[in-house]
């Protein structure tokens, strides 16, 4: 796969956009409401997330141009199938959650009369084509979408500048200790990008571990900025909004940005495309390692079909959307796919090196 290399910056951008979409699509985040404790949750979950990435960082440094799946499959095909299918099913579940969340967000805001099948099939068609073409095109598009997202954030800040109320910020570190750890665990569970990195790290040309060093701080900064905007614009009214960021967009007083709420939805649809494309790229990569290049390419459309069918069955309802979101953001999936399987890969690689050393001594 030497002709499909990307830089660690490009992979970091893809993962950041995927994670920020997940943050914006978290309907249960409203439960936390107006609370300065949420800044502490972001800080603590970021530190813990870095610790969870350590096995992958070690793997990236010791085995550049390899991934968890390539290492495990090289040692045991059966174990490769088990680990690969677990990661693929976990990420495709996240893709279903992304499509359902986007459909709910769109129909609840500006696209109220849009048919479900259009909001499911059209984004998935774009994602399928992008994943079919390969990671290089997706990475370049991700950088472009990242620029669009940053520009959109700047527009948001400019359009609601006069509504900033800094008095709504107050000094507090830990207000509700009994809820704090639950919020941290939920925040960590939404990091399926840990699984995606375990698969896509083989595409990075050099300094693979640097992806993590860019990804985690970027996500923490964007999460804090998003929360800060919600706090100083909505304040105590944050508790009564289902889609806080859309509400902020709708408050624009500048004529040029009076339809920024519609732009808001469009930007989140683009980021949903990135998230689902990442899942399909991982599907392609896993099956390429397990079966072969051509089967890997066709697995993109098989994965897209599965996501489409599940989204059509589960979409259109906030309860089912929150249910699938809860499954896809389970901390158990994160620990198994993002920590346990990489540790298995580290052990497999170490055993492989030991056997190679013994064989070399015998031959000499």
């Amino acid at each position: 796969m030497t002709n499909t290399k990307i830089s660690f910056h490009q992979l970091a951008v893809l993962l950041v956009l995927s994670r920020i979409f997940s943050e914006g699509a978290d309907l249960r985040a409203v439960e936390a409401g107006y609370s300065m404790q949420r800044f502490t949750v972001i800080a603590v979950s970021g530190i813990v997330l870095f610790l969870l990435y350590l096995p992958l960082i070690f793997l990236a440094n010791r085995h550049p141009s390899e991934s968890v799946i390539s290492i495990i499959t090289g040692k045991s095909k059966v174990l490769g199938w088990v680990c690969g299918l677990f990661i693929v099913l976990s990420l495709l579940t996240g893709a279903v959650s992304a499509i359902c969340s986007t459909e709910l967000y769109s129909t609840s805001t500006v696209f109220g009369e849009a048919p479900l099948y259009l909001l499911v099939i059209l984004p998935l068609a774009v994602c399928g084509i992008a994943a079919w073409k390969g990671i290089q095109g997706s990475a370049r598009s991700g950088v472009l979408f990242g620029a669009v997202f940053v520009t959109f954030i700047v527009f948001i800040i400019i359009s609601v500048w006069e509504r900033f109320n800094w008095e709504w910020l107050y000094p507090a570190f830990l207000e509700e200790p009994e809820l704090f750890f639950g919020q941290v665990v939920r925040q960590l569970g939404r990091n399926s990008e840990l699984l995606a990195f375990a698969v896509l790290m083989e595409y990075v040309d050099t300094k693979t571990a640097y992806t993590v060093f860019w990804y985690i701080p970027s996500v923490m900064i964007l999460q804090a900025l998003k929360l800060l905007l919600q706090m100083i614009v909505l304040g105590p009214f944050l508790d009564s909004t289902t889609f806080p960021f859309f509400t902020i967009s709708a408050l624009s007083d500048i004529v040029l940005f009076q339809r920024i709420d519609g732009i808001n939805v469009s930007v989140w649809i683009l980021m949903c495309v990135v998230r689902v494309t990442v899942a399909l790229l991982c599907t392609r990569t896993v099956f390429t390692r397990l079966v072969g290049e051509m089967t890997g390419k066709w697995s993109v459309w098989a994965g897209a079909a599965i996501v489409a069918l599940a989204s059509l069955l589960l979409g259109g309802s906030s309860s089912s959307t929150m249910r699938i979101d809860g499954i896809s953001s389970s901390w158990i999936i994160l620990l198994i796919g993002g920590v346990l399987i990489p540790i298995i890969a580290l052990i497999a690689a170490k055993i492989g090196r030991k056997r190679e050393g013994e064989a070399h001594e015998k031959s000499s």
Side-chain angles (χ1 to χ4, degrees):
M1 296 187 181
T2 55
N3 62 334
T4 56
K5 295 297 183 179
I6 61 175
S7 69
F8 67 85
H9 299 98
Q10 290 175 313
L11 181 56
V13 170
L14 282 176
L15 298 181
V16 167
L17 290 177
S18 175
R19 178 65 186 91
I20 294 302
F21 168 82
S22 177
E23 182 77 11
D26 185 7
L27 300 180
R28 295 175 299 163
V30 180
E31 298 170 3
Y34 173 60
S35 171
M36 290 291 289
Q37 177 173 283
R38 293 171 66 181
F39 287 104
T40 310
V41 170
I42 292 172
V44 173
S45 61
I47 294 171
V48 176
L49 182 62
F50 178 77
L51 297 177
L52 296 180
Y53 266 99
L54 286 179
L56 287 173
I57 292 174
F58 293 147
L59 201 65
N61 288 331
R62 295 179 183 180
H63 304 277
S65 299
E66 292 279 3
S67 69
V68 166
I69 298 301
S70 67
I71 292 173
I72 294 178
T73 304
K75 307 305 175 185
S76 171
K77 203 75 171 180
V78 174
L79 191 56
W81 272 96
V82 173
C83 296
L85 286 178
F86 179 86
I87 291 178
V88 166
L89 290 176
S90 299
L91 291 175
L92 289 182
T93 303
V96 174
S97 173
I99 293 292
C100 290
S101 298
T102 300
E103 183 275 330
L104 180 63
Y105 186 40
S106 302
T107 55
S108 300
T109 52
V110 297
F111 299 135
E113 301 300 323
L116 173 63
Y117 69 89
L118 281 181
L119 294 175
V120 170
I121 294 176
L122 289 181
L124 273 173
V126 176
C127 297
I129 293 172
W132 174 271
K133 292 292 185 180
I135 195 168
Q136 286 184 329
S138 299
R140 288 192 292 267
S141 299
V143 173
L144 177 62
F145 290 170
V148 171
F149 176 74
V150 171
T151 303
F152 169 69
I153 294 296
V154 172
F155 280 178
I156 288 286
I157 294 174
I158 293 174
S159 65
V160 296
W161 184 272
E162 294 183 355
R163 295 181 180 271
F164 285 5
N165 186 346
W166 297 98
E167 294 180 358
W168 278 334
L169 297 179
Y170 57 92
F173 178 75
L174 200 63
E175 298 175 86
E176 301 172 295
E178 68 279 3
L179 300 178
F180 175 74
F181 291 104
Q183 293 174 3
V184 170
V185 169
R186 189 173 71 189
Q187 186 90 341
L188 288 171
R190 305 194 69 80
N191 285 277
S192 63
E193 291 70 29
L194 184 63
L195 281 69
F197 179 64
V199 175
L200 300 179
M201 58 193 293
E202 67 180 69
Y203 293 111
V204 180
D205 50 9
T206 58
K207 301 179 180 178
T208 306
Y210 281 43
T211 305
V212 180
F213 303 146
W214 280 77
Y215 165 74
I216 294 179
S218 299
V219 168
M220 292 177 65
I221 291 171
L222 289 172
Q223 286 176 327
L225 178 60
K226 172 176 170 288
L227 179 57
L228 177 64
L229 280 173
Q230 293 174 356
M231 294 284 284
I232 62 178
V233 174
L234 299 178
F237 302 102
L238 181 60
D239 294 335
S240 59
T241 58
T242 305
F243 304 108
F245 215 64
F246 178 83
T247 303
I248 293 174
S249 303
L251 292 175
S252 171
D253 287 330
I254 301 178
V255 176
L256 179 61
F257 304 139
Q258 279 189 347
R259 292 310 303 171
I260 203 170
D261 52 349
I263 299 174
N264 182 324
V265 177
S266 300
V267 169
W268 287 108
I269 290 175
L270 285 179
M271 296 177 69
C272 172
V273 168
V274 172
R275 182 169 176 81
V276 176
T277 299
V278 167
L280 295 180
L281 284 170
C282 291
T283 302
R284 173 178 175 171
T285 304
V286 168
F287 281 98
T288 295
R289 288 295 181 182
L290 295 175
V291 186
E293 178 65 30
M294 187 52 64
T295 304
K297 290 186 71 173
W298 283 107
S299 69
V300 167
W301 294 112
I306 292 172
V307 173
L309 179 60
S311 300
L312 289 172
L313 292 174
L314 298 173
S317 167
S318 60
S319 59
S320 60
T321 298
M322 294 182 69
R323 192 178 303 116
I324 192 67
D325 178 74
I327 295 173
S328 66
S329 59
S330 168
W331 62 270
I332 298 176
I333 292 178
L334 182 76
L335 290 180
I336 295 175
V339 180
L340 179 60
I341 292 179
I343 290 175
I344 292 174
L346 280 171
I347 296 172
K350 186 174 182 179
I351 293 174
R353 287 199 309 271
K354 184 178 180 180
R355 289 177 178 175
E356 289 174 1
E358 292 174 351
H360 179 71
E361 290 179 358
K362 291 180 180 180
S363 62
S364 59

